Amino acid sequence: MTAHILSIGTALPQTTIEQDDVRDFFARQPGYDRLASRLVHAAFDAAAIERRHTVVAELADGGAHGRDVFVSADGVLQSPSTGVRNAVYAAEAPGLFAEAARAALTEAGITADAVTHVVTASCTGFFAPGPDYRLIRDLGLPATVERYHLGFLGCAAAFPALRTASHICASRPDAVVLVVCAELCSLHIRSSTEPDQIVASSVFADGAAAAVVSGRPGSGPSLELERFGTSVTSEGETDMVWLIGDEGFEMTLTAEVPRIIGREILDVVTGFLDAAPGDERPWGVDAWAVHPGGRSILDRVESSLSLDRSALAASRSVLQQAGNMSSATILFILRDLLADTVLGDDARIAGLAFGPGLTVESLLAVKHMPSEA
């Protein structure tokens, strides 16, 4: 029995930061010489992002309110300890998990008491009892709900989470699985003149998304999870790295990441997709959901797979309006494709997400529309 995404709900922090404002904030930090300032402007301007959302309100006012945790009163980016940053995660993340989950349940017309399993994913903080437990309390889910948490899988975690839900539905046809991803990437923002840190600061953002997954299609549009794939590239183990440091989690995102993806994505997709003979659709699919780790990654995927410029429009739109929210981002894209009235019944959607390793996670879904009475 295949599983179906019945709905997808999303949540964003209240604080919005404009890309140009954050760029200028970084460029005027102490220790940034003319070269570093040029790197900041180049990275932020090339990111194809207009705005992002954050739980760090100080980033929006440049420290004007004098909270002096992440930004000092005179506008200098601080270096709070990992403990301080993680405490903010523990305080702020549960609300986003719950908001996205409530939205998904409401959209699907599913009551809390119908949920049988919870699968959560996050890589930007830790606490126990964790977000899977908090959802039981915050949403009033049954105390008997089975819970699974996927930690530190990075930007690709949503697909393993959906795959877990799919396996659950295959073994329990009556299952209703709540999959929730939430990331507070901005908690680990830092002042650095290193190119990879500047790139990370230019793209990462905060957000949450949830999907209701069931073995039975619902009454509205749904995405049938036809199959998943996973592949580790031949190189890149040191090019996308997420480590726990004394002053936050330390992200390494080198310029090699888009190049490696560009070199290897063709073989990955060739081995995963099977277009039927005579199918005139590129790769036999109607739409693409590609994780926008950054604009250059989308450009490489588009070029390597010989896709039309419009093929990654949904990915580019989410990147532009919300940035890279790590694991939650791909669910934002699938949400838009699920709501897209142009994509009709039986439309095939291919998904690609990238995580540390480098790991490529793949998804093939089929959209189903409710039959008219």
Side-chain angles (χ1 to χ4, degrees):
M1 173 179 289
T2 55
H4 302 258
I5 295 178
L6 305 185
S7 63
I8 297 176
T10 59
L12 293 166
Q14 292 184 353
T15 299
T16 303
I17 50 177
E18 299 295 326
Q19 183 77 342
D20 289 353
D21 293 339
V22 186
R23 176 201 63 200
D24 296 344
F25 168 75
F26 268 89
R28 61 175 178 261
Q29 290 303 302
Y32 279 62
D33 58 17
R34 185 174 299 178
L35 174 60
S37 181
R38 284 203 300 267
L39 287 174
V40 167
H41 278 79
F44 278 73
D45 292 346
I49 296 171
E50 288 187 2
R51 63 190 56 86
R52 291 178 274 167
H53 297 260
T54 177
V55 297
V56 183
E58 296 156 81
L59 291 175
D61 59 37
H65 288 85
R67 284 177 286 267
D68 203 28
V69 177
F70 285 87
V71 182
S72 68
D74 55 355
V76 176
L77 187 61
Q78 305 287 78
S79 297
S81 69
T82 301
V84 169
R85 297 174 195 256
N86 196 66
V88 178
Y89 177 89
E92 298 288 345
L96 287 173
F97 273 101
E99 183 181 347
R102 287 193 188 98
L105 290 171
T106 299
E107 178 69 21
I110 300 290
T111 57
D113 60 358
V115 176
T116 60
H117 297 73
V118 165
V119 180
T120 54
S122 188
C123 67
T124 48
F126 298 97
F127 61 92
D132 52 320
Y133 172 91
R134 281 295 302 270
L135 283 171
I136 304 296
R137 292 287 185 255
D138 295 344
L139 271 63
L141 303 181
T144 55
V145 165
E146 295 182 20
R147 313 190 317 270
Y148 305 88
H149 181 70
L150 304 181
F152 242 52
L153 292 182
C155 298
F159 284 174
L162 290 173
R163 184 169 57 226
T164 300
S166 181
H167 291 329
I168 292 170
C169 290
S171 63
R172 279 194 54 180
D174 63 332
V176 175
V177 187
L178 185 59
V179 174
V180 195
C181 301
E183 306 288 5
L184 305 186
C185 304
S186 65
L187 292 180
H188 305 289
I189 200 166
R190 65 188 62 247
S191 179
S192 173
T193 58
E194 295 295 323
D196 55 340
Q197 289 295 328
I198 290 174
V199 170
S201 297
S202 72
V203 298
F204 282 108
D206 303 347
V212 175
V213 182
S214 171
R216 302 169 182 171
S219 58
S222 64
L223 297 178
E224 181 180 0
L225 300 174
E226 186 169 295
R227 67 176 184 271
F228 296 86
T230 187
S231 178
V232 177
T233 60
S234 61
E235 55 183 315
E237 185 174 350
T238 61
D239 292 289
M240 187 187 294
V241 179
W242 195 223
L243 300 173
I244 299 176
D246 293 333
E247 297 176 348
F249 297 176
E250 298 173 357
M251 180 67 179
T252 297
L253 191 66
T254 75
E256 285 299 308
V257 171
R259 298 189 189 110
I260 294 169
I261 291 173
R263 285 196 300 267
E264 305 214 13
I265 197 64
L266 180 61
D267 287 342
V268 171
V269 172
T270 300
F272 179 68
L273 293 178
D274 54 349
D279 194 329
E280 297 182 355
R281 297 171 297 181
W283 299 97
V285 301
D286 300 283
W288 292 82
V290 178
H291 174 70
R295 192 194 72 177
S296 57
I297 288 177
L298 294 179
D299 290 346
R300 294 279 183 164
V301 171
E302 183 179 277
S303 175
S304 298
L305 300 183
S306 300
L307 299 176
D308 183 84
R309 178 70 179 178
S310 63
L312 304 186
S315 296
R316 295 185 188 277
S317 176
V318 169
L319 178 66
Q320 180 186 52
Q321 297 302 318
N324 179 353
M325 299 166 285
S326 190
S327 68
T329 317
I330 200 74
L331 291 177
F332 275 71
I333 299 166
L334 289 175
R335 173 205 61 184
D336 291 350
L337 294 175
L338 181 59
D340 188 347
T341 57
V342 176
L343 284 177
D345 194 40
D346 290 334
R348 284 159 55 94
I349 299 170
L352 297 169
F354 315 104
L358 288 167
T359 303
V360 181
E361 296 287 350
S362 307
L363 163 71
L364 181 62
V366 179
K367 184 174 181 177
H368 295 300
M369 302 294 292
S371 57
E372 297 183 3

